[in-house]
Amino acid sequence: MNLYELTAEAKMIASLLETEELTPELEAMLVINQQELTQKSIDYVKVIRNKEAYSDAIEAEIKQLKVKKDDNDRVIDRMKLMLKNSMIDSGIDKIESGLFKLSLRRSEAVEVVNIDQLPESLVTVKKTVSADKLKIKEQIKNGIPVEGAVLVENFNLMIK
């Protein structure tokens, strides 16, 4: 049986126990169901551990590839800077070949040296609003109702 079927069977047995006495047959079904559920849970955890290890290996590979990419990008940026500086120092605005064309283009950008010295009309203030969930939880637990919030009980699966 799969986990879904075992869970449905456990619910059916629990439902029967609400209306009927615990007979030897029901008790045997309950024990068998619990044993099967335990074994199925063990099998699930084995698969989960295997998948977690695989995810960890993928994550490690991603980190290695990210380091390689960052190194490669730094080399590219350094080479572009050297090429640009060489063109500027030599007074060359354009280089053309059959494979590519290089050119220097002028642009302007604003660099803010000290934002505190800018007039208010030239500054944008961003405001973020967030709920203080720790304080809300504390108030609800202390019996103080908080309009717009409720305390929800969750179940988290712990595998050790």
Side-chain angles (χ1 to χ4, degrees):
M1 262 194 262
N2 63 32
L3 193 59
Y4 176 77
E5 293 168 339
L6 288 170
T7 304
E9 185 177 293
K11 287 180 182 179
M12 185 264 311
I13 293 169
S15 172
L16 287 173
L17 287 174
E18 289 177 7
T19 58
E20 299 179 18
E21 289 184 27
L22 182 61
T23 63
E25 294 83 16
L26 264 178
E27 188 174 6
M29 285 175 61
L30 188 60
V31 168
I32 290 170
N33 183 273
Q34 288 175 341
Q35 289 171 347
E36 288 177 336
L37 184 57
T38 299
Q39 185 57 50
K40 189 60 72 174
S41 297
I42 290 168
D43 294 342
Y44 262 63
V45 171
K46 287 177 182 177
V47 172
I48 288 168
R49 292 285 193 211
N50 196 353
K51 293 284 187 186
E52 287 172 341
Y54 185 58
S55 286
D56 290 345
I58 291 170
E59 184 68 28
E61 187 67 22
I62 288 171
K63 286 178 182 177
Q64 280 184 322
L65 290 172
K66 175 95 171 86
V67 167
K68 288 180 180 181
K69 180 192 177 297
D70 291 346
D71 288 345
N72 193 58
D73 288 346
R74 277 191 293 279
V75 169
I76 291 169
D77 291 342
R78 193 170 49 248
M79 291 177 74
K80 284 181 177 180
L81 180 63
M82 290 171 58
L83 184 57
K84 179 182 80 170
N85 288 340
S86 293
M87 288 176 68
I88 291 170
D89 292 344
S90 302
I92 299 173
D93 290 340
K94 288 184 180 180
I95 298 175
E96 293 188 28
S97 86
L99 300 174
F100 53 83
K101 294 179 183 179
L102 298 174
S103 63
L104 294 177
R105 180 178 56 90
R106 294 190 186 275
S107 64
E108 295 177 339
V110 174
E111 183 177 322
V112 176
V113 179
N114 187 345
I115 196 164
D116 296 330
Q117 293 177 333
L118 294 175
E120 246 182 73
S121 63
L122 299 177
V123 177
T124 303
V125 177
K126 294 181 182 179
K127 182 179 177 183
T128 59
V129 178
S130 62
D132 188 342
K133 292 183 179 183
L134 291 175
K135 286 183 182 177
I136 293 170
K137 181 179 179 181
E138 184 179 311
Q139 283 194 5
I140 292 174
K141 283 196 165 222
N142 289 332
I144 303 168
V146 177
E147 193 171 320
V150 293
L151 190 60
V152 179
E153 183 178 11
N154 294 314
F155 293 95
N156 300 310
L157 180 63
M158 301 297 292
I159 300 174
K160 295 183 180 184

